[in-house]
């Protein structure tokens, strides 16, 4: 992708987002300094939360952007029967999330915000995911070995639990990984102009 002199900044520590953005064959730097505090409003529509968080991270970037910079932020949320699942805060919460998802369908919603010093645009993508019934030993093994505490819903589709547990998906695999690269590519084309 020709960036026409623009510099892309990814404001995320997620190794998966770095990998996915690199997959678009663009050069970028990572800068996660931010003033945004991720607090979800109690009356928020779960499907709107990733966009709120992504826009908050964009607006909370620690400095002004220069004319040649494009900032990329993102947020992912898992939703099962109206229950929002972000990153688990420990083993017990991860177990609870995976037991909730076991044998059921859920949604993975990822929003991505692209901003320069003149404009900002946010898009969201949603995928449906079906898990088989997971045994307690499968859940324990996965959490013990993979430590999924940095992942919404306590799982990574690209890891062992995805190999053995996910029966079907509708939507983008990469969205479930944490970045809807097909949408991001279109946004970057628009911003590079």
């Amino acid at each position: 992708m020709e960036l026409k002199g623009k510099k892309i900044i990814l404001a995320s520590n997620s190794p998966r987002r770095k990998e996915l953005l690199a997959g678009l064959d663009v050069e970028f730097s990572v800068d996660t300094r931010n003033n945004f505090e991720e607090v979800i409003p109690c009356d928020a529509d779960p499907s709107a939360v990733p966009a709120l968080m992504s826009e908050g991270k964009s607006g909370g970037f620690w400095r002004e952007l220069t004319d040649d910079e494009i900032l990329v932020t993102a947020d992912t949320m898992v939703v099962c029967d109206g229950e929002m699942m972000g990153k688990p805060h420990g083993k017990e919460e991860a177990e609870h999330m995976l037991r909730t998802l076991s044998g059921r369908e859920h949604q993975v919603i990822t929003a991505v915000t692209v901003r320069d010093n003149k404009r900002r645009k946010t898009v969201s993508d949603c995928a449906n995911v079906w898990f088989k019934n997971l045994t307690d030993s499968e859940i324990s093994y996965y959490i013990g070995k993979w430590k999924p505490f940095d992942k919404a819903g306590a799982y990574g589709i690209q890891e062992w639990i995805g190999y053995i547990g996910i029966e079907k998906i509708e939507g983008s695999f990469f969205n479930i990984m944490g970045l809807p690269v097909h949408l991001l590519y279109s946004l970057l084309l628009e911003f590079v102009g």
Side-chain angles (χ1 to χ4, degrees), residues 100-134:
T100 300
L101 299 175
S102 176
R104 302 174 72 193
E105 176 191 359
H106 64 276
Q107 288 70 47
V108 179
I109 304 159
T110 301
V112 62
T113 302
V114 174
R115 177 170 72 86
D116 60 19
N117 62 358
K118 296 180 187 72
R119 60 197 162 139
R120 176 184 76 189
K121 190 165 183 181
T122 301
V123 293
S124 294
D125 198 31
C126 181
N128 297 313
V129 181
W130 284 262
F131 261 110
K132 75 170 187 108
N133 286 311
L134 299 168

Side-chain angles (χ1 to χ4, degrees), residues 1-189:
M1 173 182 215
E2 174 57 49
L3 294 179
K4 299 179 183 172
K6 298 286 187 179
K7 297 174 190 161
I8 296 175
I9 303 166
L10 176 63
S12 174
N13 268 327
S14 165
R16 293 157 306 281
R17 289 194 179 121
K18 292 175 196 172
E19 175 189 344
L20 291 170
L21 182 53
L24 290 180
D25 204 18
V26 295
E27 289 185 27
F28 63 94
S29 61
V30 175
D31 190 338
T32 59
R33 291 174 281 181
N34 206 297
N35 304 315
F36 178 64
E37 189 176 336
E38 293 185 47
V39 177
I40 298 171
C42 55
D43 60 344
D45 173 357
S47 65
V49 168
L52 288 171
M53 296 298 108
S54 182
E55 289 176 355
K57 291 173 188 177
S58 182
F61 190 65
W62 68 283
R63 64 171 176 81
E64 295 294 318
L65 297 175
T66 61
D67 288 342
D68 63 345
E69 292 177 323
I70 297 172
L71 182 70
V72 176
T73 56
D75 192 77
T76 300
M77 182 73 62
V78 170
V79 180
C80 186
D81 285 342
E83 180 183 344
M84 291 185 281
M85 299 179 187
K87 298 171 185 171
H89 293 101
K91 181 176 181 278
E92 292 77 21
E93 191 174 5
E95 286 173 349
H96 167 74
M97 288 179 179
L98 290 173
R99 283 193 185 104
T100 300
L101 299 175
S102 176
R104 302 174 72 193
E105 176 191 359
H106 64 276
Q107 288 70 47
V108 179
I109 304 159
T110 301
V112 62
T113 302
V114 174
R115 177 170 72 86
D116 60 19
N117 62 358
K118 296 180 187 72
R119 60 197 162 139
R120 176 184 76 189
K121 190 165 183 181
T122 301
V123 293
S124 294
D125 198 31
C126 181
N128 297 313
V129 181
W130 284 262
F131 261 110
K132 75 170 187 108
N133 286 311
L134 299 168
T135 66
D136 287 345
S137 64
E138 288 167 339
I139 290 171
S140 293
Y141 172 78
Y142 175 66
I143 293 170
K145 177 156 185 170
W146 294 89
K147 313 227 180 312
F149 308 118
D150 64 337
K151 298 172 181 72
Y155 78 91
I157 189 171
Q158 73 283 5
E159 296 175 343
W160 182 82
I161 198 86
Y163 283 62
I164 66 102
I166 293 178
E167 296 180 324
K168 181 171 100 170
I169 68 169
E170 285 178 353
S172 167
F173 177 87
F174 301 112
N175 172 57
I176 300 165
M177 260 182 86
L179 195 63
V181 285
H182 61 294
L183 296 178
L184 176 57
Y185 179 74
S186 296
L187 280 180
L188 290 175
L189 284 176

